[in-house]
Structure formats: structure tokens, C-alpha cells
Amino acid sequence: MTFNQTCLFGQIDDLHDLALIERPVRRSLTTAEEIEKLTVDEGLNDIERAVYLLSSGQDVQRASVVVNLPNLVRQNPAETFRRVVPKVREVLHVAGVEMQLAAAASFLTILQDELILIQTHTHSILQIILLNLYHRDAAVVSTAWLETLLSAIDVLPKETIRQEILNPLVPKAQLSQSLQSRLASCRVLGKVAGKFESHIVKKDVLPLVRSLCQDVEYEVRSCMCRQLENIAKGIGAEHTKGVILPELVELARDEGSSVRLAAFDTIVNLLEMFDNDDRTCIVFPLVKTFCEKCFKADEAVLASLTFQYGKLCHGLSGSFTEDQHVWFLEFYKKLCVLGLQHENGHSETYPLELERKYESVRKNCAYNFPAMILFAEPKNFLSELYPTFSSLCHDPEISVRRTTANGFHEVVKLLGSSVHLIQKELIALLQDDSLEVLDALMDNLQEILELVTSKGEGAGSESKQVSVPDLIPALNAAEQKAATSLKWRIHEKLLQKYSCLPRVISSDQIYFRFLQRMFTIITTNNVLPVQRQSARTLCVFLRYNRKQEQRQEVINKLVDQLGQGRSYWNRLRFLDICEIVIELFSKSYFCKYFLVPALELVNDPVANVRFKLCNMLPKLKSAIKLPTDKHLLQQLEFCVRKLLCREKDKDVMAIVRKTVLELDKMDITEPYQKRHEKDLLDQKKEKEENLLLEMEQLEKQQTEGKSSSEKLGERKRKEVKKSKLSRSRSLSCNPSPPKLSAAEKSLKSTSSSSPVTTKSSLQHINDDLLRSHHFSVASTSTAPSASVPVLIRSNTTGNGSNGNKDTRKINISKRSNP
């Protein structure tokens, strides 16, 4: 027997074993006797059926009744509370965890939906809740009933809360009761404090609160401490200072770390209720001692402390002295590098558990960094917080860098004109090795890039020149990293965020550094959502490109390599691009460049391409503007007729027939208002496209005028140099010319007047020739200072004397500008 035969027979034996295993399963199905037990008389109404199932049904049937209890109350509340609810109360004594949880949810629904009309019904439900509140078998059951009670307090009237909940709660909060009972009492006291006036809270609630704050169990003290915030809001700011603050001070010095942490959190949340004296004299020393103690010996509490640190500093900043302000800022800096280096500056290896705690501390510091900028003031960022921020951006733990990236946009907004200081950190996060960090940065990338490139050391365009050259390689590297990973959703998200680049960098930079990459992704990437997002981003780049030559080149490439490409996959992507172009561009633009290549795909040999084209026909027709594009409408109708006559694929034929009906109904079914809004939007898009063309023409004219003015200025400078050189040579050759007589002087002046007249006339002719360039060049010309003023002055010349003055001005300007 060969090896293959052995494997084959072995697989057959395995199948036989499976068949033997399945036989007992078939025999263990529900028997006829069990089905008989589950059967209920169909003649019973809903109430009678519920009572019967609760009395003699199985657990599954009882649970279904409990779940359906709110519907029974809606249908017949009186009978439900008279007959069904007492049965539910009996069943809950022996019910399991699932039925207990279902009952808690059902009673909460009844209370929240206000389905109870009589006070006695409320009393009966609250009795059931309080009876099961201290369930001893499972903590999850007690927690569920406690949450039900706390939620019920929000919808119950004050008098009911006082009689049915608060009065029975007094004995349950005593020291003789169980730990579970006292913990539940703490939660309930904190909840009811917000329902009553301050004098009732002081009279009925505060004595129990003081007792529980002094409980022997640290769990009870911690739980009650966390409810002091609600108690303080219930009694008001006046009584908080005399009643709540002393309790918090004592709890902050408790031997239990969880109690101290609860006191710290409560103090931070109540800062606005304390005055400046309390903050300076009581809160600050207390918090300082707590921070120092946690830093030295309690790393577990330190992680929770750092989560509230920003809120603490922001709340106390108005009451700090200069020394106190410096202490809190320096303590924060220590926390940001905790676990990274030893006191002597050398790295140290910590146990894994301790490293995780230090990581959590630094992560919370990164979370609170924007608040610390406000605390230190943005103007002091470079001297006080920049090294700390750089350390967080380069932290060895991914979670710290990810948290920093999540809040990077907040830091950018707070720094304002000093945002150039953190451009290196932005580049570092963009080039981070972890995709999690990049993903966190992508959430607010558009806002970050716009602020970074618009605010810097200089104004506007100057700051862009400072930041963009380094940002572009970082953005490219981020996209490459996402493309080579298996996390295509991050890649898709990144491409979607890159559609903001036209608002950040120039169209030339996009054309040479990003646009070709988008085209490569469309043609080579294997993930369809990534391809489509890349196509959309490419269309956005095309939409805001400012050079007609580049736009035309991209369109030709799309048509040649996608619309007429050899791969049917590329042709499908071309149709996707057509849909995007219809959305982003005007109708005339789409019809001019994309409609005819799209209609040519009616002859495509692949049925999927023709199928997609048929689905798009209504959109293509909506882009045609009549009567100017009547010939395009005729081409579309010809394509439809060709499909109806020649199509052989049944799926394509079915969609063609469906599309024909849609095309016939298009002009009839669309409301006038909607059609008018679309026309206005299309006109707006067309105006923007025409504006881009006009801006391009204006830039060309400015460039040409600038070059011509520079050439003219250069020619004038050369002439001046030649004249100076020739004059110096003549002076060196004739050092002492002879004196002339009066007749010779007059003859000399007469002969020299004609060249002056000739020069003035030539200057006037040149001014007339250059007049057309003046208004287009004046704003951006960098020619010599004599060129533009001379043109303006010479255009206003009216007589000979003015002309002579202008000539003298020209000569002066030439001497001053060699």
C-alpha cells in the first residue's frame, strides 16, 4: 500500500469516527414528554399564561415572562401588579443569576418609562429591588440591582425617595451591617444628595456620611470619599468648606492608598468650590505632600494621580505663588521622564510590572500636556516645556507616543505663532516606526498641517517655505510605510487625509511629489477601498491644480492608461474616477474630458465593465447640459441602443432595461427646487475652474512682464556704464581742454541740443510700447526703481518743459542706479 493510499484510508476512518460521534447527538434531542411539558394551553390570556409559567414552568419559560413584564404592565397594569408581580417576587428567591439580571432590567424599564400609575405599585417594585439589593450569592447580581435603584432615583419623586429609600437606608449603613450593605449605602447617599434641598441633606444625609467616612474598612471609606463631590454640590459652597473639606483633609492622610487617591480625585473635582485662601493654605500643602509620597513609594497611585494632574494645575494656577508654580511644573517634568533614566543619568532596568506603571505615568503626562502648556503659558514653551515635549514624542513606548500624537493638534493650536518650534517633532511622529502612532496623528492631520504651514517665524508664505520642504519627505515616508503594511484601513485613512494638501502646499509640489504616487496606487494596489480612496485624492489634486498643461497631462494619462488600459480592473477604476469627477468638477468639465472616453467602454469585451457603465448612465446623462451638449446626448442614446441590440450577457441586459426606464423618468421625477440647487452648485464649480484659468494667464503675463522689465533695466545699466567709461577715458586723454570764445560756446550749445531732443523722443516711444505691461507688472516687478516711475511720469508729459524735467530725472536715476 502506497503512502497516498494510507493517507486516504486514514481520512476515511476519521469520517467513520465522526459519524459514530454524531449518533448520540441525534438521540439526545428533545423527547415528546419534554415537548409536552413545554406546551401551554392556547386558550389562556397573557396574564394567566404568565402566572401559569411562573408557577409550574421551566426556568427558560420563567425568564421569558420576566423579560416580557414591561409589556404586561403596558397592557394591563392592575392585573399585572395584582397577580404577576407577586409571583415574580416569589420566583426571585430561588432564581439564578440570569433571571435576576433580567428582572433588574425589566423593573428599571418599568420605572423609567413611567408605566406605574398608582403609588402602591411603586412601593411593591421598590420592595423587590431593596430585597434583592444585598444578594449574597453573586456580586454581579447585587451590582445590577444597585444600578437599577440608582437609575430609579432619577425618575422617582422626592417624597417617594425619602420614604421608600432614604429611611430604610439608615439601618443598612450601620457598622453592624455587612460590607456589601455599607458600600451600597455610600452609593445611594451620593445619589439622593442631589435630589433634596441643602437643609435636608445636612439633617438626614450628613450624619450617615460622617459615619461612613470613619468606617473601619478602607473600601467603605474610599467609596464614601468618592461620593463627597455629590454631597458637596447638594449642600452648596458655603457648607462645603466647613463640613466636606475637613473630611477630605483627613481622608487624604489615610493609611490606605486607595482612600488617599479617592480624596485627591475629589479635591481636584471640587477646586472651583474652594476660595483662594483654602487653595493656598490647605489644598496646596496637602496635594504637594500627596504627590511627593506617591513619587517615592506608591507607583500604583502615581498613575492615577498623573491622569488628574493637568486639571489640578489648571484649577490651582490662579492661586499659586511663583515658587508653588515652579514646584508643580518641575514635578511634572520629572513625571514625564519617570523610568527612562536613573538619577545619575544612566539607564536602569526595572521589573516588568514597574515598567508598565512608569509607562502609564508617562502616558497620562502626554495626555495632560496641552493643559500644562496653559499652566506654563505658551510664551514660555521653548524654555520650560520643549525638552519635555520632545522626550514624549521620542518615548520608547508606543502608547506614550500614540497619546502624544492624539493631542498634537491641541499643542499646535495653543502655540499659535510659535508652532514652528515643534515641526521636528511632527516630522518624527510622521516617520514613526509604529503605525498606531501614525494612525493617531491622522485623526487631526488636516488641522495640524494647515496650522503648521500658516504660522511660523514669519508671516504666511514665509513660514510655508520654512516648514514644507521637510514635511513633504515625511508625508511621503508615512504613506510608503502604510502601503507596505497589512493594515490597509490605515493606508486608506491616510490617503483620505492627504486630500487636504492643496490647502497646504503648492500645486507644483503636489504634482511632482504626490500625484504620480496616487496614480501608482490606483494601478498596482490590491485593496479596492485603497484604490478608490487614492482615485478620489487624485481627483482632488487635479481639481486644484493651477496649470492647464499639468491638468491636461494627468487627464490624458487617466484616459490612456486607465480608460483604455489593457486590464479590465483599470477600466473599472476609470469609471470610478468618472463618478468622482462628476461630484467634484462642473458638468462642462466632465463632458469635455471624460464623457466620451466613458461612453466608449460600451464596446468593452468584459461584461463587468459594461455592467458598471450601465449603472452609471443616469449620472452621465445628468452631466449633459442641453442644448449645448445635444451631440453628447445623441452619443449616449446611441450607446443605449447598441446595448439593447447587441448585448448578450443576461445580467448586463437586465441592468440595461432597468436603466432605460430610469433615463426616461429622470427629467420628470426630479423636483424643480432640487434641480435648481444643482444648477447653482454647478455654476459655482464652473466659475472656480474659469478662475483657475484666469489666474494661470495672469501669472504668465506677470512672468513675461517681469522678464521684459528686467531686460530693459539691465540694458539701461549697461548703457550707463559705457557712458561713464567713455567719459573717464576722454578726461584721461584730454586733461586740459582749451577755453572757448563766446561764439564757439553758442555754436557748441546749438549742436548739442539735437541729441537731447532725440533721446527724449525715443524715451516717449519706449514708454508707449511698455504702457500695456504697466498694470500687470507693477505689483510684482523687481526691475530697477527708475523703470516704473519713469513710465508713469512720461505718460503725463504735456509740454516741452515737463519733458525736460523728466529727462533730468532719468539722468539722475541712472547715476544713482548704475
Side-chain angles (χ1 to χ4, degrees):
M1 184 180 293
T2 63
F3 175 76
N4 293 333
Q5 290 174 338
T6 303
C7 294
L8 178 61
F9 285 115
Q11 293 176 359
I12 294 174
D13 292 339
D14 293 340
L15 293 175
H16 284 305
D17 293 340
L18 290 175
L20 293 174
I21 293 173
E22 289 180 358
R23 289 174 186 172
V25 176
R26 296 192 186 99
R27 293 175 182 173
S28 64
L29 295 175
T30 306
T31 62
E33 296 178 358
E34 293 172 338
I35 293 175
E36 183 66 25
K37 290 181 181 179
L38 294 171
T39 304
V40 181
D41 186 5
E42 296 181 359
L44 300 177
N45 59 34
D46 293 339
I47 300 296
E48 293 172 345
R49 185 184 298 108
V51 173
Y52 172 78
L53 292 177
L54 289 172
S55 302
S56 58
Q58 296 188 2
D59 290 342
V60 160
Q61 294 173 315
R62 292 174 180 175
S64 67
V65 173
V66 173
V67 171
N68 195 46
L69 193 60
N71 293 329
L72 294 176
V73 174
R74 292 187 184 95
Q75 295 171 6
N76 195 343
E79 286 297 308
T80 301
F81 278 97
R82 188 176 69 86
R83 300 180 60 185
V84 180
V85 172
K87 285 290 182 182
V88 172
R89 182 173 181 174
E90 294 175 5
V91 170
L92 289 177
H93 283 293
V94 294
V97 175
E98 293 183 1
M99 190 176 296
Q100 291 274 355
L101 297 177
S106 295
F107 285 125
L108 178 60
T109 302
I110 293 172
L111 291 171
Q112 288 180 336
D113 293 353
E114 299 180 356
L115 302 176
I116 303 174
L117 302 177
I118 305 176
Q119 185 66 25
T120 54
H121 296 167
T122 305
H123 176 75
S124 62
I125 287 184
L126 288 177
Q127 288 298 316
I128 295 175
I129 294 175
L130 293 174
L131 186 64
N132 294 277
L133 184 61
Y134 310 106
H135 197 280
R136 296 181 179 180
D137 295 337
V140 64
V141 174
S142 300
T143 303
W145 283 108
L146 177 60
E147 295 299 330
T148 300
L149 180 62
L150 295 176
S151 300
I153 291 174
D154 291 331
V155 298
L156 293 175
K158 294 180 181 179
E159 193 60 31
T160 301
I161 294 173
R162 189 168 187 176
Q163 294 178 0
E164 303 290 343
I165 299 176
L166 190 56
N167 292 338
L169 188 68
V170 176
K172 295 293 184 181
Q174 301 303 318
L175 190 60
S176 59
Q177 297 295 320
S178 64
L179 175 63
Q180 181 181 350
S181 174
R182 303 202 301 277
L183 289 174
S185 299
C186 295
R187 297 281 304 278
V188 174
L189 286 174
K191 190 71 175 180
V192 301
K195 299 288 291 187
F196 297 105
E197 292 79 8
S198 60
H199 67 278
I200 297 178
V201 175
K202 289 179 61 179
K203 179 182 177 182
D204 297 338
V205 177
L206 277 183
L208 293 175
V209 170
R210 289 195 182 97
S211 174
L212 292 170
C213 284
Q214 304 297 326
D215 198 277
V216 295
E217 299 291 340
Y218 74 91
E219 294 99 330
V220 178
R221 298 196 302 274
S222 176
C223 183
M224 192 65 253
C225 183
R226 293 195 177 277
Q227 301 303 319
L228 289 180
E229 180 183 355
N230 296 327
I231 305 295
K233 293 177 179 178
I235 63 176
E238 296 181 2
H239 302 290
T240 297
K241 180 178 179 180
V243 179
I244 302 300
L245 187 56
E247 294 291 339
L248 286 173
V249 172
E250 186 175 352
L251 291 170
R253 297 166 180 163
D254 196 275
E255 59 183 7
S257 60
S258 63
V259 181
R260 296 196 303 271
L261 179 60
F264 174 80
D265 291 341
T266 305
I267 288 173
V268 173
N269 294 332
L270 291 177
L271 283 176
E272 59 183 12
M273 301 188 72
F274 302 142
D275 55 28
N276 288 334
D277 293 337
D278 293 335
R279 294 177 185 177
T280 304
C281 302
I282 299 176
V283 175
F284 172 74
L286 191 67
V287 171
K288 181 180 179 181
T289 304
F290 179 71
C291 292
E292 291 175 339
K293 188 174 182 179
C294 292
F295 189 81
K296 293 178 180 179
D298 201 346
E299 293 83 4
V301 177
L302 192 61
S304 301
L305 180 150
T306 51
F307 185 76
Q308 294 270 32
Y309 199 83
K311 187 176 181 180
L312 171 69
C313 293
H314 185 66
L316 291 175
S317 59
S319 305
F320 278 158
T321 63
E322 185 64 27
D323 293 339
Q324 293 171 343
H325 189 279
V326 171
W327 188 91
F328 269 91
L329 190 59
E330 292 300 322
F331 186 73
Y332 173 77
K333 295 178 184 179
K334 292 180 182 179
L335 294 174
C336 288
V337 295
L338 185 64
L340 296 182
Q341 59 183 9
H342 199 249
E343 293 180 356
N344 57 9
H346 299 290
S347 60
E348 183 178 353
T349 303
Y350 299 98
L352 181 61
E353 183 179 357
L354 190 58
E355 283 188 359
R356 290 289 170 260
K357 291 178 181 177
Y358 288 159
E359 176 188 348
S360 180
V361 169
R362 300 198 303 274
K363 177 183 175 182
N364 290 336
C365 288
Y367 170 78
N368 284 287
F369 192 84
M372 297 308 297
I373 292 180
L374 290 175
F375 180 68
E377 297 185 4
K379 64 182 180 180
N380 301 321
F381 172 79
L382 182 61
S383 59
E384 297 291 346
L385 288 176
Y386 175 73
T388 302
F389 184 67
S390 181
S391 174
L392 293 173
C393 290
H394 296 87
D395 195 275
E397 297 297 334
I398 294 175
S399 62
V400 180
R401 302 198 304 273
R402 183 179 64 242
T403 306
T404 306
N406 269 323
F408 199 93
H409 66 290
E410 297 290 346
V411 176
V412 169
K413 287 191 289 187
L414 290 172
L415 291 182
S417 59
S418 301
V419 72
H420 62 280
L421 298 174
I422 59 172
Q423 288 177 12
K424 292 181 180 179
E425 283 63 40
L426 173 59
I427 293 171
L429 293 176
L430 284 171
Q431 296 175 339
D432 196 276
D433 294 333
S434 173
L435 283 177
E436 295 181 25
V437 178
L438 183 61
D439 186 28
L441 193 65
M442 286 300 109
D443 292 334
N444 300 283
L445 183 65
Q446 177 175 347
E447 184 178 7
I448 292 171
L449 291 179
E450 290 178 358
L451 291 172
V452 166
T453 55
S454 62
K455 296 177 181 177
E457 292 179 309
S461 60
E462 294 180 2
S463 63
K464 289 187 179 182
Q465 295 300 322
V466 171
S467 60
V468 169
D470 294 330
L471 279 178
I472 290 177
L475 293 170
N476 281 324
E479 190 277 322
Q480 292 284 352
K481 184 179 294 293
T484 54
S485 71
L486 298 178
K487 298 180 179 180
W488 62 266
R489 288 181 178 85
I490 296 179
H491 192 197
E492 179 191 16
K493 180 180 180 181
L494 185 142
L495 293 174
Q496 190 269 330
K497 296 298 181 180
Y498 278 11
S499 60
C500 73
L501 291 182
R503 305 177 61 179
V504 176
I505 60 180
S506 67
S507 60
D508 280 341
Q509 291 170 324
I510 292 175
Y511 178 79
F512 291 109
R513 302 301 296 271
F514 293 96
L515 202 143
Q516 178 58 39
R517 178 59 186 165
M518 297 299 112
F519 190 84
T520 303
I521 294 172
I522 296 173
T523 54
T524 60
N525 197 281
N526 296 324
V527 182
L528 181 59
V530 174
Q531 285 183 321
R532 287 179 172 170
Q533 185 56 57
S534 179
R536 173 170 286 276
T537 303
L538 185 145
C539 290
V540 173
F541 291 166
L542 179 64
R543 173 71 173 81
Y544 294 103
N545 189 285
R546 298 182 62 177
K547 292 188 177 180
Q548 177 63 24
E549 181 181 354
Q550 294 178 357
R551 290 196 297 270
Q552 189 63 52
E553 182 180 346
V554 174
I555 293 171
N556 293 340
K557 198 170 184 179
L558 291 174
V559 174
D560 295 340
Q561 299 187 25
L562 294 183
Q564 300 173 3
R566 297 181 60 185
S567 171
Y568 86 96
W569 195 253
N570 289 341
R571 299 196 295 274
L572 287 174
R573 297 294 75 77
F574 178 76
L575 292 178
D576 288 336
I577 288 175
C578 288
E579 289 184 307
I580 300 170
V581 170
I582 292 174
E583 178 184 347
L584 297 179
F585 291 78
S586 65
K587 295 179 180 180
S588 59
Y589 196 94
F590 172 76
C591 293
K592 182 177 180 181
Y593 296 108
F594 291 93
L595 181 58
V596 174
L599 293 177
E600 290 176 354
L601 293 177
V602 72
N603 300 316
D604 197 279
V606 180
N608 287 1
V609 179
R610 301 196 302 275
F611 185 88
K612 186 173 182 62
L613 176 64
C614 293
N615 273 322
M616 287 180 57
L617 286 175
K619 291 184 179 180
L620 299 182
K621 183 179 179 181
S622 65
I624 297 176
K625 298 169 66 175
L626 296 177
T628 56
D629 297 332
K630 187 176 181 180
H631 63 288
L632 296 177
L633 179 61
Q634 292 175 351
Q635 289 186 10
L636 188 144
E637 293 174 348
F638 176 75
C639 292
V640 174
R641 287 195 297 269
K642 184 182 292 187
L643 287 169
L644 288 172
C645 297
R646 300 181 182 179
E647 187 56 54
K648 297 179 180 179
D649 188 272
K650 61 179 182 179
D651 295 327
V652 178
M653 194 63 194
I655 195 66
V656 168
R657 290 170 180 167
K658 180 181 177 182
T659 303
V660 169
L661 296 177
E662 293 182 13
L663 292 173
D664 293 338
K665 296 178 181 178
M666 280 183 60
D667 298 331
I668 302 174
T669 57
E670 189 174 21
Y672 170 77
Q673 183 66 26
K674 187 176 181 180
R675 190 163 61 249
H676 181 64
E677 292 176 356
K678 288 183 178 180
D679 292 340
L680 291 178
L681 180 61
D682 183 69
Q683 292 176 8
K684 182 180 179 181
K685 293 177 181 177
E686 192 168 356
K687 286 181 180 179
E688 292 175 355
E689 292 162 1
N690 293 332
L691 181 61
L692 283 176
L693 294 174
E694 293 175 2
M695 291 173 64
E696 182 181 7
Q697 293 296 327
L698 181 61
E699 289 176 357
K700 288 182 179 179
Q701 293 176 3
Q702 290 176 346
T703 304
E704 293 173 357
K706 181 179 178 180
S707 60
S708 62
S709 60
E710 288 177 351
K711 290 179 181 179
L712 181 61
E714 185 66 23
R715 191 182 302 114
K716 289 181 179 180
R717 284 194 294 271
K718 290 180 180 179
E719 291 177 355
V720 171
K721 287 182 180 179
K722 287 182 179 179
S723 62
K724 286 185 176 181
L725 184 60
S726 61
R727 188 180 305 163
S728 62
R729 288 176 179 175
S730 63
L731 290 174
S732 61
C733 295
N734 303 307
S736 56
K739 294 183 179 181
L740 300 176
S741 62
E744 290 175 339
K745 286 182 180 179
S746 62
L747 181 62
K748 182 72 176 178
S749 61
T750 304
S751 61
S752 62
S753 61
S754 57
V756 174
T757 308
T758 305
K759 186 182 291 186
S760 178
S761 61
L762 288 174
Q763 180 67 39
H764 183 71
I765 293 172
N766 290 333
D767 293 342
D768 290 337
L769 291 174
L770 294 174
R771 188 181 302 170
S772 59
H773 289 290
H774 170 64
F775 293 102
S776 63
V777 178
S779 60
T780 59
S781 178
T782 58
S785 58
S787 60
V788 173
V790 167
L791 290 176
I792 296 174
R793 295 188 189 102
S794 62
N795 288 339
T796 58
T797 302
N799 50 43
S801 61
N802 290 338
N804 294 332
K805 289 180 181 179
D806 290 337
T807 304
R808 286 195 295 273
K809 290 179 182 178
I810 292 172
N811 294 331
I812 293 171
S813 63
K814 285 182 179 180
R815 292 193 188 97
S816 63
N817 208 5

